[in-house]
DNA sequence: CTAAGCGTACCGACCAGTTGGTATGTGTCA
DNA sequence: TGACACATACCAACTGGTCGGTACGCTTAG
């Protein structure tokens, strides 16, 4: 993909490679050499763009936020007029995205934060931002839905975070079971929960 | 715990140390030297009891299953007559267990499987068994509750796995947010889901 | 010319695993 | 009873390879 000749693309190639490798092997097991080989770049290029492996970790998680943010921003589930319909369409989209191996469908932020939450504050903070950003995709819609149909003890922020948590957990169990169908089934449970909360029948 | 004098306990000490270190630092970042230091044992003892670090990983996950299995087996939530009450009491127990740092409340199997699911089939299988075992703690009760109050499209096995997934995901978000209160809030959402499913008011 | 972008060669630290050895049983047979 | 063979449990020093990171040189655009 030689978009523009002369433009720096080693950095982009490294970040894209990181998205795959981090999800497949985790942060610790992914070596700098692995990343360079996958990106078709040498170590010199790596440390030209990133001062350390940790700095790449932060950049990769932020890159992940951007990639997924763009994906959901341009998705057409926003077209629904009813905010609850938008939330349900979002969940349906997330469900249909689950295909193939865990390295293809799981989440960079969730995978990475499990390993480094106690050892790398910078990556942990980036992962936190990424997950909050993911929750933000539905938080406003949930707030609007709750305004129309209040549920005692439930607030939009907490519910949005729970949806993210349930999906993250589905990835974990999907990896353990080595079977994406349990991820799909779990997301269906999340959809059922949202419908039950708002008294919407299937 | 000097049960019987002369009995080997380096193995036990290593496994107990592994439960802490694996949850705190993850599998990759936990070195054999770390484990030996935490257990107060030398490397010679480590490789006397385990042929490799991977073999310890498998043993540690199995040890985790035994420890948590014993914890839930002797818990008194089983006393409830109604199976749904037992499930709700189980969730309440899990919620009250969330305190302190992620290294104290999170799950060895879930943390480890994220890293090694693609690289170590043996540990992955052990983690899978552990998570299935966790689901088994409530699966029979869910089956009984569903027998009394069937819910279309919901089976006990899938629901039990979803409960495990939601809790695993709560740990992930708890680590990212560095705040156990989001874990508690997520488990409360799971409790609300179960109550809604079975038409049980709070 | 100059500096950004990238490559090659290399270094020191670290880490999983090895080696060779000690201490303490434990069964057994004269 | 005791001495010999053997096994288990553990220790400390070491090794070979790997990994994150560095030094430095070459190329090309402005």
């Amino acid at each position: 993909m030689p978009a523009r000749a002369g433009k720096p693309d080693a950095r982009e190639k490294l970040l894209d490679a990181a998205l795959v490798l981090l999800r497949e092997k985790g942060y610790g097991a992914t070596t700098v050499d692995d990343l360079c080989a996958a990106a078709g770049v040498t170590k010199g290029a790596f440390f030209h763009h990133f001062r350390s492996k940790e700095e790449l970790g932060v950049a990769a998680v932020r890159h992940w936020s951007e990639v997924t943010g763009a994906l959901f921003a341009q998705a057409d589930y926003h077209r629904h007029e009813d905010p609850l319909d938008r939330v349900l369409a979002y969940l349906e989209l997330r469900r249909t995205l689950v295909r193939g191996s865990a390295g293809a469908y799981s989440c960079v932020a969730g995978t990475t934060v499990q390993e480094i939450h106690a050892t790398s504050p910078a990556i942990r903070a980036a992962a936190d931002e990424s997950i909050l950003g993911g929750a933000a995709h539905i938080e406003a819609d949930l707030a609007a839905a709750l305004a129309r149909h209040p549920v005692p003890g439930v607030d939009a922020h907490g519910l949005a975070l729970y949806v993210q948590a349930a999906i993250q957990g589905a990835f974990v169990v999907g990896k353990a079971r080595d079977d994406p169908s349990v991820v799909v089934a779990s997301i269906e449970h999340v959809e059922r929960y949202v419908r039950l909360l708002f008294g919407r029948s299937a």
Side-chain angles (χ1 to χ4, degrees), chain A residues 160-191:
Chain A
L161 265 185
Y162 171 68
V163 169
Q164 297 305 314
I167 294 174
Q168 293 290 343
F171 293 156
V172 174
V173 177
K175 285 174 181 169
R177 301 255 62 206
D178 194 18
D179 179 7
S181 76
V182 303
V183 183
V184 171
S186 282
I187 298 179
E188 284 170 351
H189 275 289
V190 178
E191 295 176 62

Side-chain angles (χ1 to χ4, degrees), chain A residues 100-119:
Chain A
S101 71
Y105 63 72
S106 68
C107 169
V108 173
T111 304
T112 308
V113 80
Q114 287 250 48
E115 286 183 58
I116 52 72
H117 72 102
T119 40

Side-chain angles (χ1 to χ4, degrees), chain A residues 15-159:
Chain A
L15 288 175
D16 287 335
L19 296 194
V20 177
L21 288 177
L22 287 181
R23 288 189 283 175
E24 227 150 61
K25 307 171 57 173
Y27 179 80
T30 298
T31 70
V32 174
D33 285 320
D34 284 341
L35 288 160
C36 293
V41 175
T42 62
K43 256 178 147 171
F46 183 100
F47 285 100
H48 175 72
H49 290 287
F50 307 101
R51 263 178 298 190
S52 64
K53 185 188 174 186
E54 184 181 17
E55 192 174 293
L56 168 116
V58 173
V61 171
R62 292 206 180 123
H63 188 225
W64 172 250
S65 301
E66 285 164 22
V67 168
T68 55
L71 174 70
F72 291 121
Q74 72 174 28
D76 65 345
Y77 68 85
H78 300 281
R79 303 223 168 170
H80 292 279
E81 283 198 16
D82 184 72
L84 183 57
D85 283 334
R86 289 199 289 274
V87 172
L88 290 169
Y90 164 86
L91 285 169
E92 190 191 341
L93 171 60
R94 296 223 53 173
R95 178 159 45 79
T96 59
L97 288 174
V98 178
R99 275 188 237 112
S101 71
Y105 63 72
S106 68
C107 169
V108 173
T111 304
T112 308
V113 80
Q114 287 250 48
E115 286 183 58
I116 52 72
H117 72 102
T119 40
S120 170
I123 303 182
R124 200 222 93 241
D128 184 34
E129 257 187 80
S130 183
I131 287 174
L132 283 182
H137 288 132
I138 53 168
E139 192 168 327
D141 289 334
L142 284 172
L146 282 168
R148 293 186 187 189
H149 185 293
V151 181
V154 173
D155 65 302
H157 182 68
L159 181 54

